[in-house]
Structure formats: C-alpha cells, structure tokens
C-alpha cells in the first residue's frame, strides 16, 4: 500500500513530514433504479420562457429531508504550533466563513500535548497558543471547541482535570471531547506516526481506556460529549486484524464502547494525483459513512441514534491551495453533512508550504492551510499571512447555502461534472449550490423543484469562480437556465410561492419492530399544528416513493424485500392538504428470512484496506438433498468485486455475483447434514459492507 504524506511542524517552525498509510481510491458510480409506480411529491411548473433543454438537469425534492444542519457542522482545525492561530484577522475570517467549531490542540499533537503546562514533548509549541488564548478566539468567533484529550502520552485523570478547568473553573462550556487522535496509527498495524506510550497498543486496550476516560471526564461534567476514534471504512487500516486480535479496529472498539460514547470520529484524505482526482473521490464518502453507521447500529442497537459521527479532519491531500480544492471543500462538507455527519473540520487553519507548482494558472504551495502562513519554498514565498486560499472561499460559499437549523434536502444532476446540494432554509427560502467541476466548459443548469413552488421573481445568485476575489452576489441569468462558469461554485436561492403548511415536521421516526418483510415505525407528532394524516416516503435518488400512510404517529410498512435497506422521511399533511417539511431521515434494513430452508455464513477472514479474503459456507436446512447448487448475491457497494476464488466457480457482472458448485461439493445433505464452503479474494474501492441477501437455487436464505 502506498504512503501518502501529511505534514506537521517541527521545532524549527517549518514542517516535518508525517506519513500515514492510506489506500488508493476511485470514484464510485451511483445508479438509482427507475420505479414504475412512483408517488412523487408534486413539482413546480416550469417558468415561462425557460429553455426547452439545458446542459445540466438539476432535480431538487424538498419533501426528502437529509437532516438538519447541526450547530457544530462547519469546523476547522487549529494547532498549538501555529503562531498565527489567534491573530485578530483569523477571528474575522472564521466568522465570515460561518465557522462554528475550532478543533484543538492540532491533530497528532493531541497525543503529546499536556494542557496544564502547555507543553508537547517532541514537538514545537508557538507562543500565545495556550488553551485560554485559544478559547478567546473561539468565543470571539462565536464558535465552540472540539478538544482532543491526550490518550497517547496522557491519562484519564489529566483529561478529567482539563474538563474541570474548562467547564467548572472557567465556565467555557466545552461540549465535545475526543479521546486521542489517529490512535490506530500507533504501530499496531505496522505503520506508526501517532504517539502512544501504552505497552498494549491494540484496539482492545484503546477501548478499555476510552471507558476509563469517559467515566473520569463525565464524573466532572456529565453534560459533555465524548468521542472514540474509528478507522474510515475502505481506508487503511480498515479490515486488518492485528496480531493477537480477534477483529479489526472498528469492530473491536465499537463492541466495547457503543453503550457509552456519544460520538465516533473518522478522518478523510482521499488523495490522488491531482485535486481534480480528489474532487471525484468525494463520491466514495456516502458509502464510507453509511458503513460507519451500519457498524454503530450493529453494536449500539436502540442506542445507535444517540451516537453521532464527526469528520474531524478532512482535506484532499493534494494541490491543497488550488481552485479545484476549493470546490472539493464545499462539496465534501455538504456530502458529509448530508450523509449523517454532525461536524466537519478542515485540516488546517494555517499549515505551511511544502512544494510549488502551477494549478489552473495559479501558484499552489501544497499547503493544508485555509490561510497563508507566509512561508517560503526556496526563494518562492506565499502571499502575506492570513491571505485566504481557495478552500477558504469554498467553505465561505456554504454560508450562502445554509446555516445551522436549516434542512438539507435531496438533489441530483444529470452530469457528474456538476455536483448539487440543496437546503430548505428556516426563513422558507430554498438554496441550491451547483459546483461545476469542469475546468474548461461552462454548463447551464435547469433546476426542477419538487415539493416546493418558487415565485416567478428572479432568484438570488452567489458565485465563486475565476476572476472572483470573494464569494460574490451576481445577477441571475436572464430568461433561462443559470450559467455555471468553469471551475465555479454557484448558489441559487428562491423564495416560496405559497404559504407553508400549518403543521410542523414530525419528530424523527424510529423502528419499533422489523422482520424480513415488514417494519413498524413510530414518531412524535409535530409540536406545531394538527396533522390530519402522515405520509412515509422512501428516498430513491431525488424521487419519492410513498410507502405508507397513517392518521396516527405510527405505521407498519409491508411487502418489503428481505435484507433490503430503506431511507424514509415522514411528512404531515394539514387540513388544507399541504405537506409539512420532512422529518429527519431514518435508514433501516429488513432482516433475512428466519424460516428459510437454507443458511449462508459470510465471513471476511482478513483485509488490508482495499482488498480482503472472504469465506462463504452454504447449508441446506430443507428436508431433501440438493444435488447441484447456485448461489447469487449482490454487493452493497459498486466498488466491491471478486478477483479470484476457490472451491467454486464465481463470476460477476456489475454488483451481481453468481456462484456455482465445483462438482465435488455439489451435494448438500438435508437438514444441515453437510455444508459447502468456498472462498475468494475481493477488492474494494471504498467501504466493504457484507452482502445482505443470498439466494440458493432461487430461495432467499437465512444469514449468520
């Protein structure tokens, strides 16, 4: 597996390279099946004079909610080796960009930092970067801290004392506390960049200490939220089982702490040869985050909804000051938030130059920072300190899209060169952000709204593109689709044509019962207004399929396929027939049939981030023998595939896998009298979730 570089400063104030093993990635292709009988939420009529065709068709469905933007959504990392972290200019710039979380004391420095004496043995600590000075900047920006408690070289008592100082002595109200940084990089899996003085560096020992830290810290302030470090599915060392371990990092940690922690932490550096490649790799993130949630569901059960996901470090890791990385910043924040993350923190506020190259006709310093640190590479120097780079404006562009408390809604485009994100704002307006990733060609966007009817007045349009020195309001395109310049971020905001429903959104639904074909959901009635009916819609891209209706806050959905996953919203309808805003989304899965005549055991024996070895055992539970069998299943992710196999003939087409016996294991005795086992080497680009449905000779099997 290749090594990709990330940098942190050495004592000199320059930057020493920190290497982290991360697997190569590729963009995932997403396809949504066409549903014949689709109960779509009504869409608005096209505006008069609108062009018959547009280069890009944009679909927005305000009836399909992706969640509410959290108060802690938009964050950045700050570091104690950054002498400019508390500059007055930083306060203004972070405020203008809508930053509401600042992470401290800085990545891997979190595992060497001792807050009491403001030291980091083995690292550099800049003057004026102490905790109280940092909190001064946090308060001045109106944000809140995300604090890394020292796991690597600290103790639970040291962390508890920090909580006491922050929240009892000083009254800072520091809510979010991480237990360590990238602790899986402590050498347990062969690559080590993270300080960890514990003799036992296994995930089992980390989980034990997370419980100890949590008890000690919450004994001081039970209102804080404590987070545990996970690996990102599909990125090294995901899937690797270390020496002496019985499972990989995530399964070991979650099996121990899922009943205790308040959130989990993942990081993302998709990399690639160019920032454009990294921008394409944002499409991997939804599958990775969905797999994190599946893992939480598995171990937390009913408590799963109480456990959040924080993406506390993200950057492309290549051509980081460039315009395409600015597009990446806007796209990755919203993609993460739309897929269940409550907090995203850019790495980093300032960092420093590492090399000089030209990207899109501009000088790039390969600097992780949002703002210039004023450093030089040879005789080539950056612009003055605190000059914003393109990713800063990518983040700032999000202030034109939505704010905490607004509702993210489903959106899509007909062209993968244009990304779309949409937000139904608290004031009733609806904003659509369109990111044109094409460096050469302008696109025109024709936006179709469902579940929302905009007025005929011209929309408000903001843009950040070539030639712009800031996020700027620009005139709307007259008389037709909106023009999206090459390499640009454009946000279109429209006002509602009609009054909203008199009833508020239902509270997020919960699953109260589920089996192989039915699921019972319940929810709390809206706090505002009276609902005459509730409607449950399943999200299929930007289309909405009506699954069930009810006059009470509960419904049983029937005739669902076994082992299938569904994402739904509940909407309330008022006495005038108007639909409310959607509830928070709920994703659930039906089970495999419990009374099937066959049983399949699927097990990943080992993995290495972008590949794995799996074994599958097939058992006949029926009353008669089977002589000759086929097994079919589908990969949950488009990035999964079979490379080679043994003890069976395995073929694949897209996500479908077809397996036949090899002749020697064709006979399966009745009532579990014999089994057939085969294995294969698989590859995964992104997350590697297990298949959920297996059919043996056409019969859907039980799974274990």
């Amino acid at each position: 597996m290749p090594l990709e570089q990330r940098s942190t400063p050495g004592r000199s104030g320059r930057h020493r390279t920190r290497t982290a093993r991360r697997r190569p990635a590729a963009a995932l292709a997403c396809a949504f099946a066409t549903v014949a009988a689709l109960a779509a939420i009504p869409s608005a009529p096209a505006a008069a004079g609108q062009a018959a065709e547009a280069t890009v068709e944009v679909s927005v469905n305000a009836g399909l909610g992706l969640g509410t933007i959290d108060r802690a959504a938009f964050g950045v990392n700050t570091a104690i080796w950054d002498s400019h972290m508390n500059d007055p200019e930083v306060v203004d710039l972070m405020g203008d960009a809508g930053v509401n979380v600042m992470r401290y004391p800085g990545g891997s420095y979190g595992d060497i930092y001792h807050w009491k004496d403001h030291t980091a043995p083995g690292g550099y600590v800049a003057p004026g970067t102490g905790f109280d000075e940092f909190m001064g900047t946090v308060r001045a920006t109106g944000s809140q801290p995300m604090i890394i408690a020292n796991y690597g070289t600290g103790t639970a008592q040291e962390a508890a004392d920090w909580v006491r100082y922050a929240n009892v002595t000083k009254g800072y109200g520091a809510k979010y506390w991480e237990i360590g940084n990238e602790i899986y990089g402590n050498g347990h899996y062969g690559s080590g960049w993270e300080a960890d003085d514990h003799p036992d560096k296994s995930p089992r020992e980390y989980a034990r200490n997370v419980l100890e830290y949590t008890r000690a810290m919450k004994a001081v302030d039970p209102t804080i939220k404590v987070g545990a470090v996970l690996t990102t599915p599909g990125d090294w060392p995901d899937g690797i089982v270390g020496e002496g371990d019985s499972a990989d990092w995530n399964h070991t940690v979650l099996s121990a702490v899922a009943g205790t922690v308040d959130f989990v932490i993942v990081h993302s550096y998709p990399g690639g040869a160019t920032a454009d490649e990294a921008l394409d790799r944002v499409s991997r993130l939804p599958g990775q985050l969905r797999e994190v949630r599946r893992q939480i569901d598995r171990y937390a059960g009913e408590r799963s909804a109480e456990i959040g996901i924080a993406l506390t470090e993200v950057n492309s890791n290549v051509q980081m000051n460039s315009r395409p990385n600015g597009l990446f910043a806007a796209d990755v924040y919203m993609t993460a938030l739309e897929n269940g993350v409550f907090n995203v923190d850019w790495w980093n506020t300032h960092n420093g130059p590492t090399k000089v190259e030209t990207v899109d006709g501009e000088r790039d310093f390969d600097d992780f920072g949002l703002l210039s640190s004023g450093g030089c590479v040879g005789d080539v120097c950056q612009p003055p300190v605190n000059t914003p780079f393109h990713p800063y404006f990518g983040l700032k562009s999000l202030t034109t899209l939505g704010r905490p408390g607004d509702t993210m809604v489903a959106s899509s485009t007909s062209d993968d060169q244009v990304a779309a994100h949409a937000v139904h704002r608290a004031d009733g307006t609806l904003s659509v952000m369109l990111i044109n990733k094409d460096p050469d060609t302008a696109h025109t966007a024709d936006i179709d709204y469902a579940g929302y009817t905009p007025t005929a007045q011209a929309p408000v349009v903001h843009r950040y593109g070539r030639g712009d020195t800031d996020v700027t309001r620009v005139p709307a395109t007259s008389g037709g689709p909106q023009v999206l310049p090459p390499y640009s971020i454009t946000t279109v905001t429209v006002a509602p044509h009609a009054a909203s429903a008199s009833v508020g959104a239902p509270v997020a639904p919960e699953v109260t019962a589920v089996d192989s074909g039915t699921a019972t959901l319940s929810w709390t009635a809206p706090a505002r207004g009276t609902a005459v009916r509730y409607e449950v819609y399943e999200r299929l891209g930007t289309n909405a399929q009506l699954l069930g209706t009810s006059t009470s806050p509960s419904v049983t959905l029937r005739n669902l396929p076994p082992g299938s996953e569904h994402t739904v919203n509940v909407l309330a309808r008022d006495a005038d027939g108007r639909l409310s805003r959607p509830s928070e989304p709920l994703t659930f899965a039906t089970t495999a049939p419990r009374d099937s005549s066959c049983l399949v055991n699927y097990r990943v024996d080992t993995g290495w981030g972008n590949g794995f070895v799996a074994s599958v055992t097939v058992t006949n539970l029926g009353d008669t023998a089977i002589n000759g069998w086929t097994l079919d299943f589908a990969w949950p992710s488009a990035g999964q595939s079979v490379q080679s196999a043994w003890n069976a003939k395995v073929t694949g087409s897209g996500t479908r896998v077809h397996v036949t016996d090899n002749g020697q294991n064709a006979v399966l005795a009745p009532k579990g009298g014999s089994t057939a086992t085969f294995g294969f080497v698989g590859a995964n680009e992104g997350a590697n979730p297990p298949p959920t449905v297996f059919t043996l000779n056409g019969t859907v099997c039980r799974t274990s």
Side-chain angles (χ1 to χ4, degrees):
M1 292 178 290
L3 296 178
E4 292 185 5
Q5 295 184 340
R6 296 165 53 193
S7 57
T8 55
R11 285 187 182 274
S12 66
R14 290 184 178 272
H15 292 69
R16 57 185 170 86
T17 297
R18 173 162 67 92
T19 57
R21 298 181 73 179
R22 302 186 187 277
R23 69 169 195 79
L28 298 180
C30 296
F32 296 103
T34 300
V35 179
L38 201 62
I41 298 173
S43 59
Q50 183 171 305
E53 293 184 1
T55 303
V56 181
E57 298 291 339
V58 180
S59 298
V60 178
N61 195 327
L64 294 174
L66 307 182
T68 302
I69 299 176
D70 195 272
R71 170 72 179 83
F74 305 112
V76 300
N77 277 268
T78 57
I80 56 174
W81 39 259
D82 174 10
S83 61
H84 297 289
M85 64 177 282
N86 295 313
D87 287 356
E89 297 89 342
V90 171
V91 173
D92 294 337
L93 287 163
M94 294 300 107
D96 290 345
V99 169
N100 44 36
V101 165
M102 303 184 81
R103 185 174 182 246
Y104 180 89
S108 293
Y109 266 53
D111 284 308
I112 61 173
Y113 179 63
H114 300 285
W115 71 272
K116 289 183 180 180
D117 57 6
H118 190 49
T119 62
Y124 170 75
V125 178
T129 60
F131 179 59
D132 288 318
E133 292 155 304
F134 162 72
M135 284 304 303
T137 298
V138 169
R139 288 187 155 187
T141 61
S143 62
Q144 59 185 311
M146 172 76 73
I147 300 174
I148 309 168
N150 185 341
Y151 173 85
T153 62
T155 65
Q157 186 60 55
E158 181 182 24
D161 290 344
W162 198 353
V163 173
R164 179 176 291 104
Y165 178 79
N167 293 354
V168 179
T169 303
K170 302 295 290 190
Y172 289 144
K175 182 178 180 180
Y176 297 108
W177 298 77
E178 303 178 53
I179 309 302
N181 185 54
E182 296 170 350
I183 295 299
Y184 47 79
N186 60 9
H188 184 67
Y189 297 105
S191 181
W193 64 87
E194 199 75 15
D196 185 358
D197 287 349
H198 297 86
D200 181 353
K201 294 177 171 52
S202 69
R204 180 181 60 255
E205 177 68 3
Y206 172 70
R208 187 190 70 78
N209 279 286
V210 165
L211 298 177
E212 181 182 348
Y213 272 64
T214 302
R215 283 192 295 268
M217 295 163 73
K218 288 199 171 187
V220 175
D221 182 354
T223 70
I224 64 171
K225 303 294 185 182
V226 177
V229 173
L230 297 184
T231 65
T232 303
D235 290 350
W236 186 94
D238 175 53
I240 298 176
V241 178
E243 184 177 355
D245 298 339
S246 59
D248 67 3
W249 181 276
N250 285 10
H251 290 85
T252 302
V253 171
L254 282 172
S255 66
V257 309
T260 302
V261 298
D262 303 292
F263 64 101
V264 298
I265 301 134
V266 291
H267 292 171
S268 180
Y269 293 89
T274 65
D276 282 301
E277 288 189 16
L279 184 57
D280 288 339
R281 293 180 181 185
V282 174
S283 61
R284 299 170 61 230
L285 194 56
Q288 292 175 309
L289 294 173
R290 180 62 200 134
E291 180 60 14
V292 173
R293 179 54 62 187
R294 289 190 188 102
Q295 293 172 359
I296 296 171
D297 288 344
R298 174 177 177 181
Y299 293 105
E302 293 182 356
R303 191 175 180 269
S304 178
E306 302 174 27
I307 301 176
I309 303 172
L311 183 61
T312 61
E313 288 186 24
V314 66
N315 201 313
S316 71
N317 207 31
V318 59
Q319 296 177 338
M320 290 167 288
N321 317 125
S322 67
R323 185 174 298 278
N325 205 37
L327 309 185
F328 172 89
D331 199 22
V332 79
Y333 269 83
M334 291 311 302
T335 299
L337 295 172
E338 291 164 349
N339 286 277
V341 168
F342 75 89
N343 161 254
V344 184
D345 302 320
W346 187 262
W347 183 271
N348 199 8
T349 301
H350 304 92
N351 214 76
T354 56
K355 65 179 180 180
V356 179
E357 61 180 313
T358 299
V359 182
D360 193 39
E362 298 177 298
R363 186 169 286 166
D364 183 81
F365 291 90
D366 207 39
D367 182 339
F368 284 95
L370 288 170
L371 309 176
S372 172
S373 63
C376 303
V377 177
D379 60 355
V380 180
C381 294
Q382 292 182 318
V385 173
N386 291 321
T387 299
F389 292 127
H390 288 298
Y392 170 83
F393 293 110
L395 176 55
K396 186 177 180 180
S397 293
L398 300 178
T399 64
T400 68
L401 176 64
R403 296 280 189 169
D406 294 342
T407 302
M408 298 171 287
V409 297
S411 61
S412 65
T413 76
S414 61
D415 190 329
D416 60 9
Q417 284 285 73
V418 178
H421 304 282
V423 173
H424 193 175
R425 304 178 72 142
D427 64 3
T429 59
L430 194 150
S431 296
V432 184
M433 174 173 281
L434 300 168
I435 303 172
N436 184 3
K437 299 179 284 185
D438 192 323
D440 303 314
T441 306
H443 290 61
T444 54
D446 188 2
I447 306 175
D448 178 71
Y449 299 90
Y452 188 94
T453 304
T455 63
Q457 67 189 48
V460 174
V461 180
H462 290 84
R463 185 190 66 203
Y464 182 69
R466 291 182 179 132
D468 296 327
T469 58
D470 203 342
V471 180
T472 306
R473 181 168 175 175
V474 297
T477 304
S478 176
Q482 185 65 42
V483 175
L484 312 177
Y487 263 176
S488 66
I489 302 170
T490 303
T491 306
V492 179
T493 301
V494 294
H497 175 73
S500 60
S502 62
V503 62
V507 176
E510 298 178 350
V511 176
T512 57
V514 66
D515 59 23
S516 61
T518 64
T520 299
L521 315 181
S522 63
W523 54 89
T524 302
R528 176 177 61 86
T530 301
V532 299
R533 188 174 69 183
Y534 297 99
E535 301 176 8
V536 180
Y537 288 92
E538 179 173 18
R539 186 168 83 233
L540 302 169
T542 53
N543 290 321
Q545 179 182 16
L546 182 64
L547 288 186
T549 64
S550 174
T551 56
S552 64
S554 178
V555 70
T556 297
L557 307 175
R558 306 184 186 280
N559 300 317
L560 303 173
S564 58
E565 195 169 79
H566 307 267
T567 298
V568 300
N569 296 103
V570 181
L571 289 81
R573 197 175 285 277
D574 67 14
D576 294 324
R578 295 172 298 190
L579 281 172
S580 71
R581 289 181 183 237
S583 70
E584 295 287 306
L586 168 70
T587 298
F588 67 90
T590 56
T591 66
R594 294 183 173 88
D595 56 354
S596 175
S597 60
C598 55
L599 172 67
V600 173
N601 176 272
Y602 176 92
R603 184 182 68 196
V604 174
D605 300 309
T606 187
W608 49 92
N610 63 344
F612 61 101
V613 175
S615 58
V616 183
T617 300
V618 183
T619 305
N620 173 22
L621 302 177
D623 295 329
T624 59
I626 293 175
N627 188 356
W629 54 267
T630 63
L631 186 74
D632 292 277
F633 64 90
W635 293 116
S637 169
Q640 297 170 285
S641 61
V642 175
Q643 302 297 298
S644 61
W646 52 93
N647 293 341
K649 302 171 185 176
V650 182
T651 59
S653 176
T655 61
R656 310 296 304 184
V657 179
H658 182 72
V659 185
T660 59
D661 65 77
N662 67 354
Q664 298 178 350
N665 57 4
V667 177
L668 296 174
K671 299 182 179 181
S674 64
T675 62
T677 298
F678 66 93
F680 61 86
V681 175
N684 57 290
E685 290 293 337
N688 187 31
T692 57
V693 180
F694 297 86
T695 59
L696 181 69
N697 290 355
T699 298
V700 179
C701 299
R702 289 167 47 192
T703 57
S704 65

